[in-house]
């Protein structure tokens, strides 16, 4: 638990404007006091961005610089907007508006409709799927339930990117979208859908933004009224804005520059919905005089988790990667990330369940544990493993596996097939019968090439096929009726309580959340990155998705993969390429000269080549655990620690850390100091062989360390030089 993320529910109201600034770190204070002109806050995961911007607004209000009713704070979810309003009230700035883009636009549209357009505002269409289905029927294009959902998603994408039906085919090809139907068919349905809305006098959620933009563009009097109301804007999660939202923001501003944006390009994971980090990354070019503040002090995660997150992004490419933030943990050290390889998926799930039970037994609350995966279809095996282990769980961002429409439909079909299968001479195996039934509902031996609902449906049905194969392998005399009975038993067993349950969720659904312990599972090629991520941009978004998963963990982090799908299968799978250079015994893919992050793999600097396997200097065994690699010996091998030297090194490290204004581990970690005190190097060559002593640290601190090892006092001319940014860059190397 951290003070930043677990503040009291009822904090005392600050008694003055200056008191609002109490407890902020230097960068957060810089954000809070930058109240004029354009401001861009580049905020890494866990760095207290919401704290910084709410204190900024509250400080401006309490100091009399900002009028509460003149501020509009915009974010992307109702939950985030509610949290922001609550924090502002606790800081004495209760009159500030904090809303989502849609909520703010809808409020303005409802108010100005009679004046700008006249008459009664059209009814808001809550669910557009039914109207899209009717549009498809009008076009004589038959859509199944999954295609319907995907076509609806394409229409939403078109509207937020301001793509008209006539331009859809070109835009889809240019952005390499996996379209659910022929682009011409999608465009035709889109056109008909818009006509049906007009005929029935309804608008959808995207229309709310489009119409508000239209009113502000066409009616200068309305625009002037809005701009006189709101003079100061704050936009959270700015990396997720769409072109339509950006246009609305520009109209709200009307050429003014009283704007504060907050975001992190490394957490852009919703580009398929039209979100783009371009506006965040180009903010400085549009506002050359902008104040730019970087928040890199991570209050959420331990140095071990942060080191892995930094290492993951160090291998990234592209525009967003060029603007990545190197996080610096502010927490005490914790356990190293655990990397686990399993023979098959059930073994991986059972291994996760065992570790979760151990954590719960050690005092970690189930609600502070999460299992995160790439696609929702992966949940079933973890639901079963946790149910078998007696661990309560809850699903986030998805229905329970056996409550999914396609799974319930499949169950009905299989039950009917089992009743009809009375032929005692039945020669088809249970898996063959299941495949035959499910092939009529979208299952095929190969997955569909695209993403979205069609892929999710296939994954669910494929999970049933795999279950049938495993069931038949365990019970060779089983019938289809036996398998249906097994499905019923599994469905009943998985109704676990949701209170204090372990969270099962997709990586996308985990954005904005955090837990004490996070299990990132199924990290194999083809799943992360997903098979349909073909372009460099798509692959990099998959890397950012894993980064979001890593940075959800406060203390415990586990990363795992399975070599085969089912027990006894051919173990041909490979761990995700994103783990290359991070997991023990691996090297960075592409040999681009960028070092690994953490978790037991050495992290180099510059163009230094990676070392080979690290051997225990006592018994000679190859080391794989991160802590052992740091020590250069097995944990249970005899230690020849020079305790007096170790204490001198610790005291020296504290002095260096104070001089740098950074946490002590930014100089050397505890494990590195222990290794130095055990090896007692007598020269730079020997010191450089110790894990955690990079080339820059050797140059900066080597003379001091060697002097201490020789029983001498460090030279006065060896005080650390360089900026805090340099020390941050070297953290955990």
């Amino acid at each position: 638990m951290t003070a930043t993320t677990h503040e009291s529910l009822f904090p005392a109201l600050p008694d003055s404007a200056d008191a609002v600034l109490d407890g902020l770190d230097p960068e957060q204070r810089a954000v809070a006091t930058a109240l004029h002109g354009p401001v861009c806050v580049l905020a890494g995961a866990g760095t207290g961005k919401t704290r910084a911007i709410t204190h900024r607004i509250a400080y401006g209000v309490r100091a009399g610089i900002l009028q509460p009713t003149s501020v509009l704070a915009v974010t992307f979810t109702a939950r985030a907007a509610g949290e922001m309003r609550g924090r502002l009230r606790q800081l004495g700035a209760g009159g500030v508006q904090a809303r989502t883009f849609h909520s703010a636009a809808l409020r303005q549209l409802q108010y100005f409709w009679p004046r700008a357009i006249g008459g009664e505002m059209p009814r808001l269409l809550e669910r557009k799927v039914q109207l899209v289905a009717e549009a498809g029927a009008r076009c004589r294009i038959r859509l199944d339930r999954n295609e319907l959902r995907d076509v609806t998603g394409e229409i939403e994408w078109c509207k937020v990117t301001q793509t008209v039906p006539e331009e859809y085919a070109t835009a889809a090809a240019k952005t390499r979208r996996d379209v659910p139907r022929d682009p011409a068919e999608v465009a035709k349905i889109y056109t008909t859908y818009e006509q049906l809305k007009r005929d029935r006098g309804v608008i959808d959620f995207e229309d709310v933004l489009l119409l508000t933009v239209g009113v502000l563009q066409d009616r200068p009097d309305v625009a002037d009224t809005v701009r006189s109301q709101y003079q100061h804007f704050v936009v959270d999660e700015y990396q997720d804005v769409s072109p339509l939202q950006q246009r609305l923001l520009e109209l709200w501003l009307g050429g003014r520059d009283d704007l504060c944006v907050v975001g992190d390009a490394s957490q852009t994971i919703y580009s398929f919905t039209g979100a783009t980090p371009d506006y965040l990354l180009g903010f400085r070019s549009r506002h050359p005089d902008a104040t730019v503040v970087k928040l890199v002090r991570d209050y959420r995660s331990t140095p071990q988790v942060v080191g892995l997150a930094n290492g993951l992004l160090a291998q990234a490419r592209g525009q967003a990667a060029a603007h990545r933030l190197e996080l610096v943990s502010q927490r005490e050290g914790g356990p190293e990330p655990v990397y686990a390889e399993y023979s098959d998926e059930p073994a991986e799930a059972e291994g996760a369940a065992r570790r979760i039970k151990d954590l719960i037994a050690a005092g970690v609350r189930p609600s502070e544990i999460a299992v995160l995966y790439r696609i929702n279809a992966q949940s079933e095996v973890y639901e079963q493993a946790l149910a078998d282990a007696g661990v309560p769980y809850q699903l986030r961002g998805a229905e329970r596996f056996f409550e999914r429409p396609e799974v319930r439909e499949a169950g009905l079909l299989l039950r009917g097939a089992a009743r009809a299968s009375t032929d005692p001479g039945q020669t088809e195996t249970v898996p063959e019968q299941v495949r035959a039934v499910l092939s009529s509902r979208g299952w095929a031996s190969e997955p569909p090439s695209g993403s979205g609902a069609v892929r999710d449906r296939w994954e669910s049905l494929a999970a049933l096929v795999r279950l049938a194969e495993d069931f038949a392998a365990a019970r060779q005399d089983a019938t289809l009726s036996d398998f249906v009975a097994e499905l019923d038993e599994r469905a009943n067993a998985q109704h676990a309580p949701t209170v204090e349950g372990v969270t099962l969720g997709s990586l996308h659904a985990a954005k904005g959340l955090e837990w004490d312990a996070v299990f990132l599972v199924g990290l194999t090629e083809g799943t992360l990155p997903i098979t349909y991520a073909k372009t460099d941009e798509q692959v990099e978004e998959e890397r950012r998705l894993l980064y979001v998963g890593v940075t959800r963990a406060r203390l415990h982090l586990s990363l795992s993969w399975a070599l085969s799908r089912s027990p006894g299968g051919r173990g041909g799978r490979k761990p995700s390429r994103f783990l290359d250079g991070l997991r023990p015994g691996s090297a960075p893919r592409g040999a681009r000269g960028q070092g690994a992050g953490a978790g037991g793999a050495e992290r180099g600097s510059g163009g230094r080549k990676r070392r080979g396997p690290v051997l225990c200097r006592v018994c000679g065994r190859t080391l794989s655990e991160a802590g052992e690699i740091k020590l250069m010996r097995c944990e249970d091998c005899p230690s020849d620690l020079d305790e007096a030297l170790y204490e001198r090194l610790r005291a020296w490290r504290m002095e260096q850390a104070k001089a740098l204004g950074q946490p002590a581990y930014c100089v050397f970690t505890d494990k590195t100091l222990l290794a130095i005190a055990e090896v007692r190097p007598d020269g730079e060559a020997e010191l450089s062989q110790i894990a955690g002593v990079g080339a820059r640290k050797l140059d900066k601190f080597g003379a001091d360390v060697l002097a201490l090892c020789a029983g001498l006092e460090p030279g006065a001319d060896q005080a650390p030089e360089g900026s805090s940014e340099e020390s941050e860059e070297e953290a955990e190397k």
Side-chain angles (χ1 to χ4, degrees):
M1 301 289 185
T2 66
T4 299
T5 55
H6 295 274
E7 296 172 335
S8 168
L9 292 175
F10 303 101
L13 189 71
D15 57 12
S16 66
D18 288 341
V20 172
L21 303 178
D22 291 345
L24 300 182
D25 67 31
E27 293 78 24
Q28 292 171 344
R29 181 178 284 257
V31 173
T33 55
L35 295 173
H36 300 288
V39 178
C40 179
V41 183
L42 302 175
T47 57
K49 67 178 179 65
T50 305
R51 178 181 175 85
I53 59 177
T54 52
H55 281 68
R56 177 182 186 270
I57 295 170
Y59 176 69
V61 169
R62 297 290 296 273
I65 300 171
L66 303 176
Q67 292 300 314
T69 55
S70 72
V71 180
L72 178 59
V74 188
T75 187
F76 281 81
T77 66
R79 178 184 62 81
E83 178 186 357
M84 191 177 293
R85 286 193 297 270
R87 292 199 189 195
L88 289 169
R89 281 194 300 271
Q90 293 168 355
L91 293 169
V96 174
Q97 292 290 316
R99 297 181 175 274
T100 65
F101 269 102
H102 281 88
S103 173
L106 179 60
R107 194 163 182 258
Q108 293 175 17
L109 193 62
Q110 289 170 330
Y111 181 81
F112 290 109
W113 188 276
R115 169 178 162 187
I117 299 173
E120 188 176 345
M121 180 176 158
R123 178 174 58 87
L124 186 62
L125 187 66
E126 296 291 339
R127 295 182 69 252
K128 60 173 67 71
V129 172
Q130 292 177 338
L131 209 58
V132 174
E134 185 174 342
R138 291 279 184 98
C139 297
R140 298 187 178 183
I141 300 172
R142 185 176 179 180
L143 302 172
D144 65 29
R145 183 174 60 249
N146 297 284
E147 288 177 320
L148 181 58
R149 191 177 78 178
D150 289 344
V151 169
T152 301
E154 289 302 288
I155 291 174
E156 291 172 349
W157 176 80
C158 286
K159 299 183 81 165
V160 300
T161 57
Q162 302 179 76
T163 302
V164 296
E166 296 78 17
E167 298 172 353
Y168 171 71
T170 301
K174 183 178 179 180
T175 55
R176 301 190 185 184
R177 291 185 69 80
D178 288 307
V179 297
R181 298 285 300 226
D182 182 273
E185 291 182 327
V186 175
K188 190 175 182 181
I189 294 171
Y190 179 14
T191 300
T192 307
Y193 166 77
E194 291 296 315
Q195 183 61 53
L196 285 172
K197 284 200 291 97
R198 286 191 293 271
D199 293 344
R200 295 179 187 178
V202 296
I203 60 175
D204 58 27
F205 277 101
E206 289 71 39
D207 289 330
V208 170
L209 299 183
L210 285 163
L211 288 168
T212 306
V213 165
V215 168
L216 294 175
Q217 285 180 158
D218 298 341
R219 291 292 299 267
D221 58 324
V222 172
D224 288 343
T225 302
V226 172
R227 292 164 191 161
S228 65
Q229 169 72 49
Y230 297 115
Q231 284 102 42
H232 195 91
F233 296 85
V234 177
V235 183
D236 194 12
E237 302 288 2
Y238 192 55
Q239 77 279 352
D240 288 333
V241 296
S242 68
L244 180 56
Q245 290 164 334
Q246 175 66 19
R247 179 60 184 145
L248 177 59
L249 178 61
E250 291 167 352
L251 287 166
W252 281 340
L253 283 164
R256 298 168 297 174
D257 63 1
D258 280 328
L259 170 66
C260 174
V261 300
V262 189
D264 179 9
S266 297
Q267 296 188 67
T268 304
I269 58 173
Y270 296 112
S271 65
F272 61 91
T273 68
T276 172
D278 292 349
Y279 302 115
L280 174 67
L281 298 178
F283 190 85
R284 189 68 178 271
S285 63
R286 298 195 308 277
H287 302 279
D289 59 338
T291 299
V292 179
V293 183
K294 295 182 180 181
L295 301 183
V296 297
R297 300 176 195 255
D298 188 317
Y299 296 93
R300 175 188 298 159
S301 305
T302 62
Q304 288 76 13
V305 173
V306 168
L308 175 55
N310 287 338
L312 182 61
L313 287 189
Q315 301 181 38
R317 307 175 185 177
Q319 186 184 19
H323 293 80
R324 65 180 179 269
L325 300 170
E326 187 89 2
L327 300 177
V328 182
S329 174
Q330 305 300 296
R331 295 191 56 171
E332 292 293 325
E336 294 285 349
V338 174
Y339 296 87
E341 181 176 278
Y342 295 92
S343 58
D344 52 71
E345 288 179 5
E348 183 181 6
E350 290 165 7
R354 283 195 302 271
R355 290 203 60 228
I356 288 170
K357 285 197 73 172
D358 291 342
L359 287 172
I360 294 172
V364 180
R365 293 164 52 192
S367 60
E368 289 293 353
I369 303 173
V371 178
L372 305 179
Y373 34 75
R374 176 60 179 85
I375 54 176
N376 288 326
Q378 292 174 270
S379 74
E380 192 272 340
V381 68
Y382 291 92
E383 294 176 55
Q384 185 63 48
L386 291 174
D388 291 344
V391 175
Y393 67 87
Q394 54 187 326
L395 283 168
R396 179 175 182 85
E399 300 156 297
R400 291 177 183 271
F401 180 79
F402 285 104
E403 292 176 357
R404 296 172 189 165
E406 62 268 24
V407 175
R408 297 178 67 176
E409 180 186 25
L412 291 173
L413 292 172
L414 290 170
R415 191 171 289 107
R419 286 196 299 267
S421 180
T422 57
D423 183 2
Q426 173 70 255
T427 58
E428 288 184 317
T429 65
V430 169
E432 288 171 341
Q433 294 177 73
V434 171
R435 285 193 286 265
V437 171
L438 299 188
S439 62
S440 66
R441 288 297 181 269
W443 178 84
S445 58
E446 294 296 325
S449 60
S451 59
V454 172
R455 175 75 182 212
D456 287 345
R457 178 183 176 87
W458 182 90
E459 292 286 357
S460 294
L461 298 179
L464 290 175
V465 172
R466 293 195 296 268
L467 188 61
E469 293 169 349
D470 297 341
F471 181 72
R475 293 182 51 186
Q476 297 185 6
D477 59 344
T479 65
L480 185 58
S481 295
D482 294 330
F483 178 64
V484 170
E486 172 70 12
L487 288 180
D488 291 339
E489 290 179 11
R490 284 172 173 259
N492 291 331
Q494 292 173 4
H495 289 296
T498 57
V499 178
E500 280 303 321
V502 172
T503 297
L504 296 179
S506 70
L507 288 164
H508 281 102
K511 180 74 164 62
L513 303 173
E514 58 187 85
W515 296 269
D516 283 345
V518 171
F519 290 76
L520 302 176
V521 299
L523 303 181
T524 60
E525 284 291 301
T527 301
L528 195 73
I530 200 75
T531 51
Y532 50 78
K534 303 295 186 183
T535 67
D536 289 343
E537 293 84 358
Q538 291 168 340
V539 169
E540 286 306 315
E541 181 145 335
E542 295 287 299
R543 186 194 305 276
R544 294 194 296 270
L545 194 55
L546 179 57
Y547 174 78
V548 166
V550 168
T551 55
R552 300 310 94 193
R554 300 189 191 108
L555 180 61
H556 304 281
L557 179 62
S558 173
L559 304 96
S560 63
W561 59 92
L563 298 179
S564 67
R565 185 193 72 197
S566 56
R570 183 175 61 87
R573 288 178 170 175
K574 295 181 180 180
S576 169
R577 71 188 74 175
F578 301 143
L579 301 181
D580 292 347
L582 302 176
R583 60 187 176 86
S586 67
R589 178 170 291 209
R592 297 192 307 276
Q594 298 205 350
E602 181 186 335
R603 184 179 184 184
S605 61
R608 190 179 67 183
K609 294 183 179 179
R610 289 181 47 80
R611 302 186 180 103
V614 179
L615 305 180
C616 174
R617 54 191 165 80
V618 179
C619 70
R621 183 178 68 87
T622 299
L623 303 177
S624 60
E625 295 296 325
E628 293 181 342
I629 291 173
K630 285 278 189 181
L631 287 174
M632 301 173 64
R633 64 170 174 80
C634 304
E635 289 279 5
D636 53 359
C637 279
S639 169
D640 51 356
L641 174 68
D642 184 331
E643 294 186 3
L645 173 57
Y646 180 63
E647 291 304 320
R648 292 199 303 274
L649 287 167
R650 282 173 57 85
W652 165 84
R653 180 182 65 174
M654 185 59 66
E655 293 177 2
Q656 306 303 308
K658 286 181 180 179
L660 289 168
Q662 296 292 326
Y665 72 82
C666 288
V667 181
F668 289 117
T669 64
D670 286 344
K671 291 283 189 180
T672 300
L673 289 189
L674 280 171
I676 293 171
E678 290 184 1
V679 175
R680 297 185 291 280
D682 58 8
E684 286 191 357
E686 192 173 7
L687 178 59
S688 67
Q689 294 302 308
I690 295 175
V693 181
R696 288 193 223 177
K697 288 192 177 183
L698 184 66
D699 181 63
K700 186 181 294 185
F701 303 125
D704 277 11
V705 171
L706 291 173
L708 288 166
C709 290
L712 305 173
E713 289 296 321
D717 59 342
Q718 296 298 323
E721 297 179 355
S723 67
S724 61
E725 183 177 343
E726 289 174 339
S727 67
E728 290 171 12
E729 184 177 312
E730 285 295 296
E732 290 303 280
K733 286 188 180 177

